[in-house]
């Protein structure tokens, strides 16, 4: 049976310990953390160490910033690398497995005017490979994994599908970088999400879940049985981390997900 996690901002409670109590009662196996900028995640290290000591399971962190490793601005790009290195170091310190980031978010879309980005595809690739290699080498030194998340075409113009992420990862030659899949983005970009999972079995390292409308699983029309069956088939043994908006009563929405995924084949 696949394990479930829930991002910390979706849980009630003022402390990670209180959030963990709710998460366990709702049927989750872990909490996914969020890593804000300005080295905020590193500033939480004492809190995270105590939470781990108190039994809170925190395997992964998802970056929560406005700029990322593929930013057009060199200073923003460098800051994103500094932030991600710090997050990889901190998640390693508390016994986690890795950190997830997209190449960019909201920076540019070829589906919206002016349609052509200020950087060529070749320049995009050069920038991404340099950043991923730097982060992947840092992750390897720390003994954790960097998860590269493809986003849909309206949020990122560079890495939208699993095959694009896989191509970049293979080009780095680093086994410390894996694909972090997201059911919502795959629903938009992959013609056959289950087939995409099967095709990239060896590179999938993490999975985030939300439905076709970005609400909690069960609130949309995504084919969960097919998606989860594919993950079973490739032997995925990580967590399904809930990253979504919530519709209806927030606490009830969060509570509904583990049971829904179980019924759907997880």
């Amino acid at each position: 049976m696949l394990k479930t996690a829930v991002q910390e901002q979706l849980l009630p409670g003022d402390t990670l310990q209180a959030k963990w109590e709710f998460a366990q009662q709702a049927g989750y196996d872990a909490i996914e953390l969020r890593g804000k900028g300005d080295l905020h995640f590193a500033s939480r290290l004492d809190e995270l160490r105590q939470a781990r000591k108190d039994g809170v399971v925190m395997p992964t962190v998802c970056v929560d910033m406005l700029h990322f490793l593929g930013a057009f601005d060199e200073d923003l790009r460098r800051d994103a690398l500094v932030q991600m290195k710090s997050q990889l170091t901190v998640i390693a310190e508390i016994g986690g497995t890795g950190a997830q980031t997209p190449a960019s978010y909201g920076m540019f879309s070829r589906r919206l005017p002016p349609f052509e980005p200020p950087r060529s595809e070749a320049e995009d690739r050069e920038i991404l490979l340099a950043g991923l290699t730097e982060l992947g080498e840092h992750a390897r030194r720390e003994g954790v994994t960097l998860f590269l998340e493809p986003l849909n075409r309206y949020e990122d113009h560079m890495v939208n599908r699993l095959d694009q992420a896989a191509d970049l990862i293979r080009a780095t030659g680093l086994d410390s970088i894996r694909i972090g899949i997201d059911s919502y983005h795959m629903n938009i970009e992959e013609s056959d999400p289950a087939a995409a999972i099967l095709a990239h079995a060896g590179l999938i390292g993490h999975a985030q879940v939300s439905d076709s409308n970005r609400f909690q699983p069960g609130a949309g029309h995504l084919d969960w049985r097919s998606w989860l069956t594919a993950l079973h088939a490739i032997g995925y043994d990580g967590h399904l981390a809930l990253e979504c908006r919530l519709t209806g009563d927030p606490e009830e929405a969060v509570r509904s997900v583990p049971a829904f995924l179980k019924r759907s084949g997880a």
Side-chain angles (χ1 to χ4, degrees):
M1 181 180 293
L2 294 176
K3 301 169 289 187
T4 55
V6 54
Q7 289 195 343
E8 59 179 312
Q9 77 279 3
L10 299 176
L11 293 165
D14 295 327
T15 65
L16 282 170
Q17 290 84 343
K19 291 175 181 289
W20 178 231
E21 183 176 354
F22 178 95
Q24 287 179 291
Q25 291 173 353
Y28 291 93
D29 303 288
I31 291 177
E32 178 160 270
L33 300 167
R34 298 278 286 193
K36 298 183 184 297
D38 298 323
L39 300 177
H40 179 261
F41 194 58
S43 75
R44 297 178 61 190
L45 189 52
D46 288 343
E47 170 203 358
L48 299 173
R49 283 174 175 152
Q50 185 60 53
R52 183 190 184 195
K53 189 178 298 184
D54 292 336
V56 182
V57 180
M58 304 166 289
T60 53
V61 56
C62 180
V63 65
D64 183 11
M65 290 170 52
L66 295 178
H67 56 274
F68 300 86
L69 67 101
F72 292 133
D73 182 89
E74 184 176 355
D75 289 339
L76 293 179
R77 194 162 61 243
R78 174 49 50 188
D79 181 68
L81 294 176
V82 169
Q83 302 297 328
M84 288 308 303
K85 285 182 181 179
S86 176
Q87 290 179 29
L88 288 162
T89 295
V90 172
I91 204 68
E93 172 72 20
I94 61 171
T97 59
Q100 177 143 326
T101 183
S104 72
Y105 170 76
M107 186 174 79
F108 194 88
S109 170
R110 286 194 174 91
R111 305 298 169 175
L112 300 169
F115 300 116
E116 285 299 324
R119 202 166 58 198
S120 71
E121 289 187 23
E123 290 169 327
D124 281 343
R125 183 177 175 82
E126 181 181 359
I127 289 294
L128 292 181
L129 284 177
L132 288 171
T133 299
E134 186 173 336
L135 293 176
E137 289 174 344
H138 184 82
R140 182 174 57 185
R141 288 192 294 270
E142 295 289 359
V144 291
T145 302
L146 176 73
F147 304 115
L148 175 61
E149 178 184 3
L151 301 188
N152 72 75
R153 70 196 73 179
Y154 305 105
E155 299 178 22
D156 177 23
H157 72 288
M158 295 180 288
V159 184
N160 308 128
R161 302 183 311 275
L162 270 59
D163 65 299
Q164 293 172 312
D167 174 63
L168 288 167
I169 291 169
R170 291 191 182 101
T172 69
L174 293 167
D175 59 9
S176 54
I177 310 175
R178 289 289 181 264
I179 304 173
I181 65 173
D182 184 301
S183 57
Y184 169 73
H185 298 295
M186 291 184 69
N187 178 65
I188 297 172
E189 293 297 335
E190 304 292 349
S191 57
D192 186 338
I197 289 172
L198 296 175
H200 299 94
L203 284 177
I204 293 174
H206 186 49
Q208 293 179 334
V209 294
S210 61
D211 219 311
S212 56
N213 49 12
R214 204 43 158 166
F215 288 122
Q216 70 271 14
H221 60 252
L222 197 149
D223 183 355
W224 287 103
R225 186 166 299 279
S226 173
W227 201 80
L228 294 168
T229 297
L231 282 181
H232 276 299
I234 69 171
Y236 177 72
D237 61 358
H239 291 84
L240 300 176
L242 180 64
E243 181 191 42
C244 66
R245 295 178 295 149
L246 300 172
T247 183
D249 177 82
E251 292 188 12
E252 288 304 313
V254 171
R255 284 195 184 97
S256 72
V257 173
F260 172 81
L261 293 174
K262 184 177 181 179
R263 291 195 305 273
S264 301

